[in-house]
Amino acid sequence: MSTSLDRLAARCAALLGPDAVIGDPVRLRTYECDGLTTHRAAPGLVVLPESAEQVAAIVRACAAEGVPYVARGSGTGLSGGALPRTDGVLIVTSRMRRILEIDIPNQRAVVEPGVINLDVSRAVRPHGYYFAPDPSSQQICSVGGNVAENSGGAHCLKYGFTAHHVLACEVVTPDGEIVQLGEGPGYDLLGVFVGAEGTLGITTKITVKLTRVPETVRTLLAAFDSIEAGGTAVSAIIGAGVVPAAIEMMDALAIEAAEAAVGCGYPDGAGAVLIVELDGPDGEVAHQFDQVERLCRDAGAFEVRVAADDAERALIWTGRKSAFAAVGRISPAYLVQDGVIPRTALPGVLARIDALSAASGVRVANVFHAGDGNLHPLVLFDDAEEGAAERAEEVSGAILDLCVEHGGSITGEHGVGVDKARYMPRMFTAEDLDTMQMVRCGFDPTGLCNPGKVFPTPRLCGEVPGVRKGPHPLVAEGKAELF
Amino acid sequence: MSTSLDRLAARCAALLGPDAVIGDPVRLRTYECDGLTTHRAAPGLVVLPESAEQVAAIVRACAAEGVPYVARGSGTGLSGGALPRTDGVLIVTSRMRRILEIDIPNQRAVVEPGVINLDVSRAVRPHGYYFAPDPSSQQICSVGGNVAENSGGAHCLKYGFTAHHVLACEVVTPDGEIVQLGEGPGYDLLGVFVGAEGTLGITTKITVKLTRVPETVRTLLAAFDSIEAGGTAVSAIIGAGVVPAAIEMMDALAIEAAEAAVGCGYPDGAGAVLIVELDGPDGEVAHQFDQVERLCRDAGAFEVRVAADDAERALIWTGRKSAFAAVGRISPAYLVQDGVIPRTALPGVLARIDALSAASGVRVANVFHAGDGNLHPLVLFDDAEEGAAERAEEVSGAILDLCVEHGGSITGEHGVGVDKARYMPRMFTAEDLDTMQMVRCGFDPTGLCNPGKVFPTPRLCGEVPGVRKGPHPLVAEGKAELF
């Protein structure tokens, strides 16, 4: 441990009490990765604050020592956004788990960042409300992590992402100040903070919007011969003006994996299954559900199963929800990608993923939020086989290229983190990335706040235009005469 | 005209052609204010670009000369966000009115910033879609202006603000670069740009989301003895989980004005009327409409009128839509405010506005988007009477104080502009405002892009932390030892 980390450990122990500071190498290893296990680094020090004031004091201490720091909620992120620094401090929010306020008439709640996503819904369900963002890790992930990653979930087609359900945040800035970001006049700094992957500060209090529990939820499973037919059904449903709570699709290989793992009993011989869920008032749901069923059959569904009750609904979802874990049954290892494409490009892109898979011999199982064009290709490989991981990585990159080529994105809901920073220049020009980094430099001029994430090439904040001296550079370079 | 403006005029004429540059003082007066007519300043120069490249060239020319510039769409803003600078250039987007692309399968369109809001809806209506943001100026206001102000409208309770309907923007930054802001990984710079009131750059291309025209629209008018009873109905409707397309309320004085102006025939003796509009699929609307009608009666409505057809619906809306102009019938002059409060605070705040009005002798008519707590108090005065404008201004300020005191905001949809910059410190701490200005300095270090708007005290960008030299100031000041 370096001297500055030693000093920080002593200071934090004095501030927070000795049991809030972890310096023991064995215990530090617990924190060496988040949900992206291919990247690992044990933190130099772990601290467990209990208040915004403590977080601010830690940040100020890090700033004074010039030591980088990373915030971490439950560590379920899939892009390495909470990957620690061996030369830095990991600020873990697991002791900030209080639900501070529930305001039903105004449909909001105020929570600390360590509060578990599902616990918000549990607390307000007796009043008929829930917290809508539902990442599949919602039983364990934290609201602070949801804010950092702007987390989505199967139901974000209708309900949107975390950004749409956060009304205000109290934030410790990299300057160590406690500020309020929220709705109201001036710049929408809340908007830029949510989804900034922990690079602009640490949230210490979150005001979330509560959503009314729908009167009715109805779910169906439709089986098709091919992904193309399923894609046609998706387009028809959206085109008819229906906004389902969720439309999920799985291809044959994903179905095979789910059957092997949980025996979900999906129809035999399906090239693709579609799960469509509608929720809302009885009248609306009944009307639209009939329409969806008909559109699925028109698109060629050879079987449509309608869940008669909650148990049947859970059974339909079991296959989908187990899909990621289930591929372990058919492959020793896999990479999961998170590309996005325009909904209408689905059939074309999937055909090209098939071709990529055939040409490379690397199997790809597809599970996706079809309604919003968010693909989760599972690229399968055998980690015991030499070069297999590299080939899988190559196919992954090629899939992201396909997404970008079709006007889509390299990530839909998992974030950039350390995992996809290198792909950012495929989507953005140098000028676009520069504009983002100008904002980062505004918040974090010394670059100590979660460094190494999101941006492929960190920009030194000395390069910020604000620092330029003398005449405007366009004049100095003579460019101002050129246009 | 100063020498630098002369040079700019010549340069812009060479670049855009002479008919795209206005320097004649009489013609410049046309542009001396936007919808906030209490603030006026004729621009030093007006230019009318036709492309992003031309906008970028103008911005670079201004930067080279150190001349400030302001962008303007149709000039309908109500907070003076497009107030020109006499020492600066006004960049008017009225020649950028092309709808560049309509993509129905992906429910989006790409438009230039000068396109009129309602023209987007007109263009896509044959396909069954529309552009949801509906400021009352939608027949004339521009989409670029909607982006700058994050405009709302009567239907933003259900459909949200402009920010919720813009998917991407092409932007000319104050550096004169053309960048793309939009969905995807990295910071949500689109979010911070929309609603930044033209202080972070000029949008030159906007990708908007299209919304399906609802199957059914149903509207009712409910009359109550008092604002309190109307407020109770609003809370009951929202509390029941209904999300109406609009809930508008008018008080007795606003009704009186509307009757005098357009003879809308609202029920006699009403202390308040509520207009509730539901839209969506037939099944949903029918079910919820009955519920709303019942809740209104339960809250004490003495009359409920249901519009039987489009003509009756238009009649119900006539009173509300004419309310602002109509107060001219009962008062020589007025100020319109735009405060926001939590929905549940409505009755309390309105009672205190009444008390303020009684104590000061200044009449206040209330018209508001009740569903989202957005008040538009019309503060009436006689501009021929000495001191009356000042007293009206005082009452206006006191109303905004009330809003802030109740956890609300000084503006809901009109923006801060020049009008409310002085109220910003009532809502935000110095640290909060500083954090916003750090972002502004990132985009616009020289402070030439729409200066004097939003912030009460411009921050010199030399004060940006990124410019600090030597040890971290917390260390230098010894504060790093204090925590």
Side-chain angles (χ1 to χ4, degrees):
Chain A
M1 201 185 276
S2 79
T3 334
S4 53
L5 280 174
D6 283 338
R7 283 195 301 268
L8 273 172
R11 248 174 222 184
C12 290
L15 262 168
L16 317 183
D19 75 323
V21 179
I22 300 172
D24 169 43
V26 174
R27 290 180 66 202
L28 289 176
R29 278 239 299 281
T30 313
Y31 297 95
E32 70 181 2
C33 66
D34 59 13
L36 182 79
T37 55
T38 49
H39 291 66
R40 291 172 193 265
L45 188 69
V46 166
V47 290
L48 301 152
E50 292 182 33
S51 68
E53 289 67 29
Q54 289 188 353
V55 172
I58 297 163
V59 165
R60 287 196 300 268
C62 288
E65 293 284 358
V67 165
Y69 52 90
V70 175
R72 174 188 161 115
S74 302
T76 54
L78 290 170
S79 60
L83 181 74
R85 299 268 300 204
T86 50
D87 61 348
V89 176
L90 189 70
I91 303 173
V92 178
T93 59
S94 57
R95 293 189 180 173
M96 298 176 75
R97 287 223 168 125
R98 288 178 303 164
I99 294 178
L100 301 169
E101 196 188 326
I102 292 176
D103 175 0
I104 295 299
N106 287 304
Q107 297 173 220
R108 52 181 67 194
V110 182
V111 306
E112 290 188 323
V115 169
I116 300 304
N117 172 299
L118 201 56
D119 284 347
V120 182
S121 293
R122 286 199 184 106
V124 298
R125 183 153 301 244
H127 305 282
Y129 287 88
Y130 73 113
F131 179 52
D134 64 337
S136 50
S137 56
Q138 69 177 145
Q139 303 212 5
I140 170 178
C141 67
S142 70
V143 178
N146 297 164
V147 167
E149 298 297 321
N150 189 20
S151 305
H155 292 80
C156 62
L157 171 63
K158 178 170 181 178
Y159 292 101
F161 287 80
T162 299
H164 304 105
H165 299 273
V166 170
L167 299 169
C169 281
E170 178 185 86
V171 168
V172 172
T173 65
D175 266 5
E177 282 171 351
I178 301 176
V179 300
Q180 312 299 324
L181 308 183
E183 290 179 319
Y187 299 154
D188 179 18
L189 296 186
L190 179 64
V192 80
F193 184 82
V194 176
E197 307 193 14
T199 61
L200 300 181
I202 300 173
T203 185
T204 48
K205 205 181 281 180
I206 303 139
T207 305
V208 301
K209 187 155 85 179
L210 303 176
T211 301
R212 186 90 185 173
V213 172
E215 202 175 9
T216 304
V217 181
R218 296 199 68 192
T219 309
L220 65 73
L221 178 86
F224 299 87
D225 286 332
S226 67
I227 284 282
E228 287 69 28
T232 304
V234 172
S235 289
I237 292 166
I238 303 287
V242 177
V243 183
I247 307 189
E248 301 286 306
M249 187 141 61
M250 294 167 67
D251 72 2
L253 192 53
I255 297 168
E256 180 192 328
E259 288 295 351
V262 295
C264 48
Y266 287 171
D268 279 341
V273 294
L274 205 60
I275 299 172
V276 187
E277 188 159 282
L278 298 183
D279 66 15
D282 292 336
E284 172 186 356
V285 170
H287 173 76
Q288 295 194 335
F289 199 76
D290 293 345
Q291 205 179 348
V292 166
E293 197 177 336
R294 199 184 60 243
L295 291 169
C296 284
R297 291 195 194 277
D298 288 351
F302 64 82
E303 185 170 341
V304 177
R305 291 183 192 169
V306 174
D309 53 30
D310 281 357
E312 287 189 22
R313 184 155 78 88
L315 193 66
I316 286 178
W317 275 106
T318 298
R320 166 64 186 88
K321 292 203 170 166
S322 65
F324 281 28
V327 294
R329 294 295 183 106
I330 60 167
S331 174
Y334 67 92
L335 299 174
V336 56
Q337 271 309 346
D338 176 41
V340 181
I341 51 173
R343 203 160 42 224
T344 47
L346 268 177
V349 169
L350 290 168
R352 290 189 53 190
I353 292 177
D354 257 5
L356 263 175
S357 172
S360 62
V362 173
R363 289 186 303 165
V364 180
N366 286 293
V367 175
F368 43 98
H369 307 314
D372 41 16
N374 188 185
L375 310 178
H376 288 316
L378 298 152
V379 182
L380 314 186
F381 66 100
D382 181 351
D383 48 1
E385 190 190 318
E386 200 177 333
E390 289 70 22
R391 280 196 301 280
E393 188 59 59
E394 232 167 83
V395 169
S396 276
I399 291 174
L400 293 186
D401 279 340
L402 271 179
C403 292
V404 173
E405 201 180 288
H406 284 79
S409 169
I410 57 174
T411 172
E413 53 182 12
H414 296 172
V416 178
V418 290
D419 189 36
K420 286 181 284 282
R422 67 191 182 285
Y423 295 125
M424 290 286 273
R426 301 190 190 183
M427 270 195 81
F428 296 105
T429 65
E431 286 76 20
D432 294 346
L433 289 171
D434 253 19
T435 307
M436 289 185 204
Q437 296 219 55
M438 287 189 317
V439 172
R440 180 174 193 155
C441 289
F443 276 84
D444 182 27
T446 51
L448 296 176
C449 183
N450 206 13
K453 316 291 162 68
V454 183
F455 299 104
T457 321
R459 172 182 178 147
L460 288 179
C461 293
E463 297 164 27
V464 172
V467 197
R468 287 192 298 233
K469 300 290 177 203
H472 192 284
L474 291 169
V475 178
E477 295 163 23
K479 280 191 194 157
E481 302 299 326
L482 295 181
F483 52 83
Chain B
M1 199 186 275
S2 79
T3 336
S4 53
L5 281 174
D6 283 339
R7 282 196 301 269
L8 273 171
R11 245 175 224 182
C12 289
L15 260 168
L16 316 183
D19 76 322
V21 178
I22 300 173
D24 168 42
V26 174
R27 290 181 65 202
L28 289 176
R29 279 239 298 282
T30 313
Y31 297 95
E32 70 182 2
C33 67
D34 59 12
L36 181 78
T37 55
T38 49
H39 291 66
R40 290 172 194 268
L45 188 70
V46 166
V47 291
L48 300 153
E50 292 183 33
S51 68
E53 288 67 29
Q54 290 188 353
V55 172
I58 296 164
V59 165
R60 287 196 299 267
C62 288
E65 293 284 356
V67 165
Y69 52 90
V70 176
R72 173 188 161 115
S74 302
T76 55
L78 290 170
S79 59
L83 181 74
R85 300 268 300 204
T86 50
D87 61 348
V89 175
L90 189 70
I91 303 174
V92 178
T93 60
S94 56
R95 293 191 180 171
M96 297 176 75
R97 286 223 168 124
R98 288 178 303 165
I99 294 178
L100 301 168
E101 195 189 327
I102 292 177
D103 176 0
I104 295 298
N106 288 303
Q107 298 173 220
R108 52 181 65 195
V110 182
V111 305
E112 289 188 324
V115 169
I116 301 304
N117 172 298
L118 200 57
D119 285 347
V120 182
S121 293
R122 286 201 184 105
V124 299
R125 184 155 299 245
H127 304 282
Y129 287 86
Y130 73 114
F131 178 51
D134 64 337
S136 50
S137 56
Q138 70 177 147
Q139 303 212 5
I140 170 177
C141 67
S142 69
V143 178
N146 298 164
V147 167
E149 298 296 323
N150 189 20
S151 306
H155 292 79
C156 62
L157 170 63
K158 178 168 180 178
Y159 292 100
F161 287 80
T162 299
H164 304 106
H165 299 273
V166 170
L167 299 168
C169 282
E170 179 185 84
V171 169
V172 173
T173 65
D175 266 5
E177 281 171 351
I178 300 174
V179 301
Q180 312 299 324
L181 308 183
E183 291 179 319
Y187 299 152
D188 178 17
L189 295 187
L190 180 64
V192 81
F193 184 83
V194 176
E197 306 193 14
T199 61
L200 300 181
I202 301 173
T203 184
T204 47
K205 205 181 280 179
I206 303 140
T207 305
V208 301
K209 186 155 87 179
L210 303 176
T211 302
R212 187 90 184 170
V213 172
E215 201 174 8
T216 304
V217 181
R218 295 199 69 193
T219 308
L220 64 75
L221 177 86
F224 299 86
D225 286 333
S226 66
I227 284 282
E228 288 68 28
T232 305
V234 172
S235 289
I237 291 165
I238 303 288
V242 177
V243 183
I247 308 191
E248 300 285 305
M249 186 141 60
M250 292 166 69
D251 71 2
L253 192 55
I255 296 169
E256 180 192 328
E259 288 295 350
V262 296
C264 48
Y266 287 171
D268 279 340
V273 294
L274 205 60
I275 298 172
V276 187
E277 187 158 282
L278 298 183
D279 67 14
D282 292 335
E284 171 186 358
V285 170
H287 173 75
Q288 295 194 334
F289 199 76
D290 294 346
Q291 205 178 348
V292 166
E293 198 177 336
R294 200 184 60 243
L295 292 169
C296 284
R297 292 193 193 278
D298 289 352
F302 64 82
E303 186 172 340
V304 177
R305 291 184 191 167
V306 174
D309 53 31
D310 281 356
E312 287 190 20
R313 184 155 78 88
L315 193 64
I316 286 178
W317 275 106
T318 297
R320 166 65 185 87
K321 292 204 169 165
S322 65
F324 281 27
V327 294
R329 294 295 184 105
I330 59 166
S331 174
Y334 67 92
L335 299 174
V336 56
Q337 272 309 347
D338 176 42
V340 182
I341 50 173
R343 204 159 41 225
T344 47
L346 267 178
V349 170
L350 290 168
R352 290 189 55 190
I353 292 178
D354 257 6
L356 262 176
S357 173
S360 62
V362 173
R363 291 186 302 165
V364 180
N366 285 294
V367 175
F368 43 97
H369 306 314
D372 41 17
N374 188 186
L375 311 178
H376 289 316
L378 297 153
V379 181
L380 313 186
F381 66 100
D382 181 352
D383 48 1
E385 190 190 319
E386 201 177 330
E390 290 71 20
R391 283 196 300 279
E393 188 58 61
E394 231 169 80
V395 169
S396 275
I399 291 174
L400 294 186
D401 278 341
L402 271 178
C403 292
V404 173
E405 203 180 285
H406 283 80
S409 169
I410 57 173
T411 172
E413 53 181 13
H414 297 171
V416 177
V418 290
D419 189 37
K420 287 182 283 281
R422 66 192 184 285
Y423 297 124
M424 290 286 274
R426 301 190 190 183
M427 272 195 80
F428 296 105
T429 64
E431 287 76 20
D432 294 345
L433 289 172
D434 255 18
T435 307
M436 288 185 206
Q437 296 219 56
M438 288 188 317
V439 172
R440 180 174 193 155
C441 288
F443 276 84
D444 182 27
T446 52
L448 296 176
C449 183
N450 207 13
K453 315 294 162 66
V454 183
F455 299 104
T457 322
R459 172 182 178 148
L460 289 179
C461 293
E463 297 164 27
V464 171
V467 197
R468 288 191 297 232
K469 299 290 176 202
H472 192 282
L474 291 168
V475 178
E477 294 162 23
K479 281 193 194 156
E481 302 300 325
L482 296 180
F483 55 84

